[in-house]
Each structure stands twice: as C-alpha cells, then as structure tokens.
Amino acid sequence: MKQRQWKRWTAALSAAAILLTPMATQAQSPDEETTQINHALTGTATANDTETTYWGADKAIDGIVNRDETNKQNQSRWSTNGAKTFDQVAQKEKVLTVDMGKEQSFDQLVLEWERSNVTQFKIEAAGADQQYRTVYEKTDEAEISSLTTTIDLEQEETAQYVRLTVSGDTAGTNDWASESL
C-alpha cells in the first residue's frame, strides 16, 4: 500500500490551517489510502500581531479548527487586531511564521479561515537559512470565496519555515478588518 503523507500547518488569522503535502511520484489508485500527518503540531509559531492572549500564534498550529464554537474565547485560532477598515490598522501586513523544526516537503497548502474577508495574501517558504521564497500569492482584490482555501503548488517545496503574510482585507460582514485563521 502506497502512503502519501500530508502535513498540516494550522495558521490562525482567526482560524486557518495550511495543509502541506509531499508530492506523489505516481498516480494513486482509488483503493490506496492516504495518511495525514500534522508536522506543525511539534513546531513553533510567531506573529507580528495578536488581538488577545487567548488567540495567539500558538493557536495556529494546535491542530484544532473550531470556528463554530459559540464561546469565542474557546475558539482555537490566531487573530489579529482590527479596525473598521484595513487602512486604519496600525500594522498593515499581518505575518504568521511557523518553524516546523526541520525541513519538510509539501505540494499543497490548505488554509482554514475564520472569516472570508481576506483579499490578498502570500505564502513563503524557507530552509534553515531563512532565505524566503514565495510559493503562492493571491493578489486580486476579491475576498476569498471559501473558508477553506486549498492551494495546489506547481512544484514540490521543501522548507523548515512557512510564512503567511496577509496584505489586504475588508471589514467583512461584521464590520471589523482583522485576520483570523
């Protein structure tokens, strides 16, 4: 049985996860199983902005996506400070960096957002040397179309560090411009 490993990096700009998947070298048959492994669970996360202590960067990689939890303080997500518009936010770009502890290979990213107000973001990867390269970038002005964003990369990437930078959003339906993953 061929196994395809999945790596999940849960990033929380209020509740998002990034799924990093090693590229398969052969097509899988329908009866082959896929094994998912969340390598980010043993990593560390840092952010340039956090809304509260209970929505810190560590929540981005705890493996929990519970955006429907009614008690907001119990939601496991990274959330940034916000304002009525993105232009009013003091630190415009919101950055979440995950150190996976060692280099890992992947070819897919899955983001589990809390809200659909994000319009622009990029994902960068780096080895131990921390020389970042962009592996994906969303530059249009449209809000994300789904709370789950799946990104199939053009080629397999190998990295120890994965960095999410959000550079655009709207106030959204709740009139609060912040990132939540």
Side-chain angles (χ1 to χ4, degrees), residues 57-141:
D58 61 310
K59 299 294 186 177
I61 60 171
D62 67 2
I64 301 169
V65 178
N66 64 344
R67 64 176 74 95
D68 296 327
E69 168 64 46
T70 55
N71 181 342
K72 292 285 190 183
Q73 290 187 13
N74 290 338
Q75 290 179 344
S76 183
R77 59 186 167 107
W78 165 56
S79 184
T80 66
N81 286 296
K84 292 291 184 181
T85 67
F86 192 74
D87 292 335
Q88 294 174 340
V89 178
Q91 177 73 35
K92 300 239 188 296
E93 288 188 340
K94 305 301 181 179
V95 181
L96 176 73
T97 304
V98 174
D99 177 353
M100 296 182 286
K102 65 180 181 177
E103 290 191 348
Q104 304 287 347
S105 295
F106 56 92
D107 68 355
Q108 187 179 67
L109 304 159
V110 179
L111 298 158
E112 295 291 338
W113 304 96
E114 184 219 9
R115 300 171 51 216
S116 61
N117 65 313
V118 173
T119 59
Q120 297 177 328
F121 67 91
K122 68 180 173 181
I123 307 286
E124 297 171 291
D129 61 3
Q130 294 190 15
Q131 297 297 310
Y132 284 92
R133 64 197 174 281
T134 301
V135 298
Y136 178 80
E137 190 164 12
K138 180 188 179 313
T139 58
D140 63 34
E141 294 292 326

